[in-house]
Amino acid sequence: MSELKLLGLSGSLRAGSFNTQLMKAAITSFGAAEVEIGDLNLPLYDGDLEAKGIPEAVTKLAAQIAAADAIIVANPEYNKGISGVLKNALDWSSRVPGDAFRGKPTLLIGAAAGRTGGETAYFMTRNCLAQLGAAVLATPAVLVAGAYGEFNEDGTLKSEVYQKSLDGGIAALREVCARG
């Protein structure tokens, strides 16, 4: 079997994003794969802009999603909800013909400053992904609470508990991919 194509998406654009660090930790845990990181720095969805033609960056993202064997979505929580960056990317991807997310094994993870690790945004994002047809894994939620104190300087997780949770989610994602 050829190497799996893994796509990482982080709903945060901040350079030091905890969700980007968590996404990269998940990619490392996944192991051997052809990895791509999707760029969610897209123009705001606007029907008038769409009427002029779907932006190239959106078309590229949709192609990455469609080509992936598995997707990891790192989901921050902003004001008890899904980040605007991630929601915008999901909205744009739904406008590209082909239903890019349909049936894609997707692991949803998150890190947040609060004590629930972004649980509210997690469930909102699950719902958004379900509407796009993504096969979001029904594993225990991989949510890192108090994210400011949970990452080492190199971006790895400090807590064995969180690493074990992440490894469990990744194992479930690999298992789904192996079943085809």
Side-chain angles (χ1 to χ4, degrees):
M1 179 178 171
S2 63
E3 211 168 63
L4 292 172
K5 292 181 182 178
L6 179 64
L7 177 64
L9 303 175
S10 174
S12 175
L13 301 177
R14 187 174 66 84
S17 164
F18 298 119
N19 280 278
T20 300
Q21 290 178 61
L22 184 60
M23 176 195 67
K24 288 178 178 178
I27 289 168
T28 298
S29 178
F30 193 85
E34 182 183 322
V35 176
E36 285 196 62
I37 307 295
D39 183 1
L40 303 192
N41 195 356
L42 305 170
L44 290 175
Y45 174 76
D46 176 346
D48 292 335
L49 180 58
E50 179 186 7
K52 293 176 186 174
I54 295 175
E56 185 178 325
V58 173
T59 303
K60 178 181 178 183
L61 178 63
Q64 288 175 309
I65 294 166
D69 295 310
I71 302 171
I72 296 171
V73 177
N75 178 52
E77 182 173 86
Y78 295 167
N79 298 310
K80 291 291 186 189
I82 185 174
S83 76
V85 168
L86 183 55
K87 181 66 168 88
N88 186 57
L90 297 178
D91 289 344
W92 265 120
S93 72
S94 75
R95 306 305 296 165
V96 177
D99 292 330
F101 272 103
R102 180 133 336 265
K104 295 293 175 176
T106 303
L107 178 65
L108 181 57
I109 59 179
R115 62 189 167 136
T116 66
E119 186 178 49
T120 303
Y122 173 87
F123 287 110
M124 289 176 76
T125 305
R126 275 186 75 83
N127 186 47
C128 291
L129 286 165
Q131 297 307 308
L132 298 177
V136 181
L137 273 63
T139 60
V142 179
L143 299 172
V144 176
Y148 287 99
E150 293 299 336
F151 291 89
N152 294 308
E153 285 186 28
D154 65 358
T156 58
L157 286 163
K158 289 180 179 179
S159 166
E160 287 182 35
V161 171
Y162 284 138
Q163 187 62 55
K164 184 176 178 181
S165 175
L166 184 61
D167 291 343
I170 291 299
L173 184 59
R174 273 208 169 273
E175 183 179 324
V176 168
C177 290
R179 286 188 295 215

